[in-house]
């Protein structure tokens, strides 16, 4: 008798096969896990291909002054400082290595004359920072990752829709779905599940997203008990096609503006001068999208309700070389030769910046004895809204040193090594028990506060209070002289 459904078992199940899902699968395989990859459509057909203009990485191949700090600053400013600063920092610091990794795996980037990866200007970036493959960077990225993953041995399940995550008590145990072609049910058993299902673009009529992007992953996680955050942060790319109606919303890459394209209204005015005179067309996407929307609403839009994006002042061969996809896209879909005349463009729903809540640094204080670690013990180092939560688990905290108290010097060394805070110094380098006394703890807190004071952002130190930590108030009152401090009551 044929079973009512088929079952597959893996250590790690990844739902979603775009750039994020494929890279997660490759890393899980490298750690020795058995990996399954489920995609709603065909492998390689992901919205990652819409990252046409390039990958931002402060490699300094074109502008030698560029570094991760400038990239980090640009990212925070672009997000009006509402960003998760730690994730923005990690992105800026690790992006160059990820690009070199793609190159080693076979990605063919455009080159400078001396053979380095070529970088172009992009909206919101101080320097030329976008590593690119013409205007088909996303396609090259997906091709490289899927070739690497398949070669490494990922089990791929295409045209399979996951409808529910399966729980065993409070733990995730697998996923349930169906094959789109037949409608037959399928279950996946897994020790861990990664949700990488993309955004919610199809909630809007005009979008660059294809039919798959219907917020499935967010719904799955929410129903399983996860938290969603920043769901109002939906990005509208300023330049999507507006005519003919059948192609409305299809992306027009930002690379057009990066290569010198100008935006004009129906009066022939470069209207971005009114909205961002310094950066003009290379302002951030939210600014450019609102500018186009305003021009249209105030009667200065194009004939079909957008704005004119013009690259025709550049030599025709240059445009065809740097923007081959855009040249063919407009020629075939709109009967427009972009080397001769302007394109009509308007805002299109493109990217979802909110979603499932995750931690940037889910690390435990490994210098604590395992039996002494509190449940979910993590260190979260932060300058702005994130709290620095240091868990202390000693049985008592009297003036007399206790041998089972955590070594604060090790905590400081951990911060130096993992949090890019080389200026943090430990006042007590000895590993003797006396280095762990409450008085030395206070001195170390002062040291950390002074280190944080070097950064121009609000500072907060939170110390999770153990039920038996008797000197918490004293510690926080000392820290409060140099930084804001708060107590989190025991059990929270």
């Amino acid at each position: 008798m044929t079973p009512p459904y088929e079952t597959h078992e893996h250590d790690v199940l990844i739902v979603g096969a775009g750039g994020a899902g494929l890279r997660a699968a490759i890393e899980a395989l490298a750690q020795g896990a058995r990996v399954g990859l489920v995609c709603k459509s065909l492998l390689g057909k992901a919205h990652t291909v819409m990252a046409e203009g390039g990958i931002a990485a402060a490699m300094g191949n074109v502008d030698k002054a560029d570094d991760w700090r400038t990239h980090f600053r640009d990212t925070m400013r672009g997000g009006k400082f509402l960003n998760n600063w730690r994730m923005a920092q990690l992105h800026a610091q690790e992006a160059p290595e990820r690009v070199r990794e793609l190159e080693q795996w076979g990605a063919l980037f455009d080159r400078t004359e001396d053979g380095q990866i070529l970088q172009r200007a992009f909206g919101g970036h101080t320097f030329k920072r976008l590593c690119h493959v013409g205007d088909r960077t996303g396609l090259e990225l997906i091709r490289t990752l899927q070739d690497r993953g398949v070669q490494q041995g990922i089990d791929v399940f295409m045209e399979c829709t996951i409808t529910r995550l399966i729980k065993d008590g409070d733990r995730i145990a697998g996923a349930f779905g169906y094959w789109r072609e037949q409608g037959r049910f399928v279950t996946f058993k897994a020790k861990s599940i990664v949700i990488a299902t993309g955004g919610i673009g199809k909630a809007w009529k005009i979008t660059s997203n294809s039919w798959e992007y219907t917020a499935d992953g967010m719904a799955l996680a929410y129903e399983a008990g996860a938290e969603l955050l920043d769901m109002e942060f939906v990005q509208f790319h300023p330049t999507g096609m507006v005519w003919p109606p059948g192609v409305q919303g299809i992306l027009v890459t930002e690379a057009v503006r990066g290569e010198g394209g100008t935006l004009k209204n129906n009066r022939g005015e470069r209207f971005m001068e009114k909205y961002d005179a310094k950066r003009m067309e290379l302002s951030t996407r939210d600014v450019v999208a609102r500018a186009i929307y305003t021009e249209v609403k105030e009667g200065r839009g194009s004939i079909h309700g957008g704005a004119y994006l013009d690259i025709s002042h550049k030599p025709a061969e240059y445009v065809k070389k740097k923007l081959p996809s855009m040249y063919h896209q407009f020629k075939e879909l709109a009967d427009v030769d972009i080397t001769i005349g302007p394109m009509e463009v308007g805002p299109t729903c493109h990217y979802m910046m909110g979603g499932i809540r995750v931690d940037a640094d889910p690390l435990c204080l490994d210098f604590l004895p395992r039996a002494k670690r509190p449940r979910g013990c993590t260190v979260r180092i932060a300058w702005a809204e994130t709290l620095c939560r240091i868990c202390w688990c000693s049985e008592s905290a009297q003036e007399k040193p206790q041998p089972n108290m955590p070594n604060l010097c090790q905590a400081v060394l951990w911060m130096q090594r993992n949090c890019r805070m080389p200026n943090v110094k430990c006042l007590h380098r000895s590993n003797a028990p006396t280095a762990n006394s409450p008085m030395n703890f206070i001195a170390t807190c002062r040291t950390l506060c002074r280190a944080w004071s070097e950064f121009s952002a609000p500072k907060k130190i939170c110390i999770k209070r153990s039920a038996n930590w008797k000197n918490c108030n004293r510690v926080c009152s000392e820290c409060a002289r140099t930084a804001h401090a708060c107590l989190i009551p025991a059990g929270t």
Side-chain angles (χ1 to χ4, degrees):
M1 180 177 177
T2 304
Y5 55 86
E6 61 184 280
T7 300
H8 302 273
E9 187 168 353
H10 299 86
D11 296 322
V12 178
L13 180 70
I14 297 168
V15 185
L22 285 167
R23 185 62 186 84
I26 292 168
E27 187 63 28
L29 280 170
Q31 300 298 324
R34 293 173 301 151
V35 179
L37 183 72
V38 179
C39 51
K40 196 174 176 181
S41 185
L42 299 174
L43 184 64
K45 187 183 180 296
H47 192 57
T48 304
V49 301
M50 289 291 102
E52 297 168 325
I55 306 171
M59 304 183 77
N61 294 344
V62 176
D63 290 318
K64 302 300 182 184
D66 196 15
D67 67 1
W68 76 264
R69 294 170 182 82
T70 309
H71 189 183
F72 174 62
R73 182 190 66 190
D74 289 343
T75 305
M76 294 302 296
R77 286 179 174 175
K80 307 299 186 289
F81 291 91
L82 298 173
N83 326 43
N84 181 312
W85 74 269
R86 178 62 173 151
M87 291 185 180
Q89 181 195 25
L90 290 172
H91 167 69
Q93 289 175 327
E94 296 183 9
E97 185 58 33
R98 300 286 77 76
V99 171
R100 284 188 282 267
E101 183 178 72
L102 287 168
E103 183 183 33
Q104 291 167 4
W105 292 347
L108 300 173
F109 290 98
D110 288 2
R111 296 286 166 175
T112 63
E113 292 183 358
D114 60 353
Q116 293 183 304
I117 294 174
L118 184 61
Q119 297 179 280
R120 61 160 54 116
F122 228 59
H125 292 275
T126 301
F127 298 106
K128 292 183 178 180
R129 187 177 289 145
L130 273 288
C131 308
H132 60 279
V133 184
D135 59 354
R136 299 170 177 168
T137 311
L139 186 63
E140 184 72 2
L141 191 155
I142 280 289
R143 181 196 66 78
T144 301
L145 290 175
Q146 73 178 32
D147 286 354
R148 177 75 176 182
V150 171
Q151 184 265 332
Q152 293 290 315
I154 300 173
D155 293 332
V156 180
F157 303 89
M158 292 187 283
E159 296 191 287
C160 179
T161 297
I162 300 297
T163 60
R164 188 172 298 276
L165 298 182
I166 301 169
K167 298 175 70 176
D168 180 9
D170 291 333
R171 297 182 63 85
I172 291 294
F176 173 84
Y178 66 94
W179 298 108
R180 298 187 63 83
E181 183 181 4
Q182 315 143 340
R184 292 186 63 84
F185 297 143
V186 58
T187 59
F188 297 90
K189 296 180 181 180
K191 300 173 184 177
S192 300
I193 294 182
V194 177
I195 302 292
T197 53
I200 64 172
K202 293 306 286 185
W204 273 263
K205 179 181 178 181
I206 300 174
T207 179
S208 65
N209 293 196
S210 61
W211 62 268
E212 300 97 331
Y213 295 91
T214 50
D216 296 17
M218 298 175 201
L220 290 171
Y222 181 76
E223 289 175 352
E227 180 183 353
L228 303 182
L229 79 166
D230 296 335
M231 296 297 287
E232 71 277 22
F233 292 145
V234 179
Q235 182 191 89
F236 286 79
H237 198 291
T239 55
M241 295 182 73
V242 299
W243 192 262
V247 299
Q248 194 174 30
I250 293 179
L251 189 69
V252 178
T253 175
E254 197 166 336
V256 177
R257 289 175 283 134
E259 296 294 343
T262 58
L263 285 167
K264 297 180 181 179
N265 58 26
N266 59 20
R267 300 176 183 175
E269 302 167 337
R270 284 186 69 183
F271 57 84
M272 281 308 301
E273 188 173 359
K274 296 186 295 185
Y275 303 96
D276 190 341
K278 182 179 180 181
R279 294 182 293 186
M280 297 290 284
E281 284 83 6
L282 292 180
S283 186
T284 53
R285 289 178 179 177
D286 59 315
V287 174
V288 180
R290 283 195 298 269
I292 294 174
Y293 179 81
T294 301
E295 292 294 305
V296 173
K297 285 296 182 182
E298 294 181 357
R300 297 185 294 275
S302 67
I303 188 172
H304 296 113
Y308 295 108
L309 176 59
D310 194 1
I311 192 72
S312 62
H313 55 278
K314 294 284 188 179
E317 290 306 312
Y318 177 86
V319 173
K320 292 177 183 179
K321 177 182 178 182
K322 301 300 289 186
L323 303 166
S325 293
M326 291 299 100
Y327 175 77
H328 291 292
Q329 180 175 306
F330 274 90
K331 192 73 173 174
E332 295 171 9
L333 300 180
D335 196 25
V336 171
D337 187 340
I338 66 173
T339 66
I340 298 174
M343 305 159 253
E344 279 191 78
V345 297
T348 180
C349 179
H350 184 56
Y351 187 74
M352 180 64 182
M353 288 166 287
I356 305 166
R357 186 184 191 112
V358 295
D359 290 331
D361 292 293
L363 299 171
C364 233
L365 287 175
D366 57 6
F367 52 78
L368 288 177
R370 188 170 297 276
K372 296 292 183 181
R373 296 178 193 172
R375 192 175 182 181
C377 176
T378 62
V379 173
R380 299 170 185 173
I381 309 302
W383 305 327
E385 76 280 1
T386 310
L387 303 178
C388 173
R389 179 174 294 183
I390 304 177
C391 304
W392 305 108
C393 312
S394 60
E395 295 177 357
S396 64
Q398 301 170 358
E399 290 296 329
K400 182 180 178 181
Q402 300 294 320
N404 58 4
M405 291 174 66
N407 189 321
L408 293 172
C409 296
Q410 289 179 282
V412 172
L413 290 173
W414 187 94
M415 293 173 66
Q416 289 174 325
R417 185 170 61 250
N418 295 289
C419 304
R420 283 82 173 180
M421 296 176 68
N423 293 329
V424 176
K425 305 294 182 184
C426 188
L427 295 180
H428 308 281
R429 297 185 179 277
S430 169
N431 286 326
T434 53
N436 294 320
S437 69
M439 289 305 297
N440 286 342
F441 176 44
I442 293 170
T444 304
C445 279
R446 287 174 176 167
T447 304
L448 299 183
C449 290
R450 281 196 295 272
W452 270 307
S453 67
E454 298 176 5
F455 297 98
S456 56
K459 294 167 284 294
K460 179 176 284 190
I461 295 178
C462 289
I463 299 171
K464 187 172 182 179
R465 180 168 57 187
S466 170
N468 294 321
W469 184 262
K470 298 180 181 179
N471 290 309
C472 255
N473 290 319
R474 179 178 179 184
V475 169
C476 284
S477 64
E478 293 288 336
C479 290
R481 297 178 184 176
T482 48
H484 300 295
C486 70
L487 282 175
I488 303 176
T492 61

